Amino acid sequence: MWRKQANTNHLAADEQILQGIRAQIDENEPMVVWGHADRYYVQAPRPMGARLADSWWIIQKGPLQPKRVAEFIYDLEKRQTPLIVDNTGGPDPHRFQFKQSHLLSIPAIAAYVQQHYTISDSIAGAIFYTRKKQL
């Protein structure tokens, strides 16, 4: 019987991304994974910095999208989330669902991120945003 072979190319890249996460924030600091790689929360391990484990529900167009965008920004602000990992350009097998929906593709999120975060690294296609220090 024919079986589709699992795509495991992302495993080595995942380990590089996880090492980057561990190097950037402490184990008790929250992070956000933008895209579909919620496994990073468990594998890093790091707590979630927003109420949703992935961005699927935020990027979906419809009447709830403005509410979810506002909740996402609220979570980032309330938790002062120190790290966002945008994995939409990374090796995730599900990235085809997200490739047009990178972190800065939603104007309200882009404005917030550009004001409060800076790009600190790019590992295996994933972009790391770290929170700017408050003066």
Side-chain angles (χ1 to χ4, degrees):
M1 181 168 128
W2 180 83
R3 288 180 8 158
K4 184 177 179 182
Q5 183 177 0
N7 179 0
T8 58
N9 295 338
H10 69 284
L11 297 178
D14 267 6
E15 189 51 43
Q16 293 173 356
I17 293 167
L18 290 166
Q19 287 175 8
I21 291 167
R22 292 179 193 118
Q24 293 224 11
I25 59 172
D26 292 331
E27 194 170 312
N28 62 340
E29 292 181 292
M31 70 173 182
V32 165
V33 177
W34 186 266
H36 186 72
D38 53 352
R39 63 190 174 276
Y40 293 167
Y41 296 114
V42 174
Q43 294 171 336
R46 300 295 184 270
M48 290 174 30
R51 68 190 75 200
L52 298 173
D54 66 48
S55 56
W56 177 256
W57 300 109
I58 300 168
I59 64 172
Q60 291 306 301
K61 304 237 185 275
L64 289 177
Q65 187 183 34
K67 178 182 185 300
R68 290 184 177 135
V69 167
E71 288 174 344
F72 179 73
I73 293 170
Y74 173 83
D75 290 347
L76 292 177
E77 184 64 24
K78 180 169 173 85
R79 296 178 181 147
Q80 298 291 296
T81 306
L83 178 66
I84 302 172
V85 178
D86 182 347
N87 195 45
T88 57
D92 191 281
H94 302 289
R95 76 171 184 222
F96 66 91
Q97 298 169 334
F98 295 92
K99 66 182 175 181
Q100 301 302 316
S101 301
H102 56 87
L103 180 65
L104 303 181
S105 68
I106 298 172
I109 293 173
Y112 183 86
V113 168
Q114 289 168 344
Q115 180 180 357
H116 296 283
Y117 289 82
T118 186
I119 294 175
S120 59
D121 212 342
S122 178
I123 301 172
I127 300 171
F128 286 54
Y129 294 86
T130 53
R131 192 163 186 93
K132 294 175 184 174
K133 303 293 182 208
Q134 299 296 322
L135 300 177

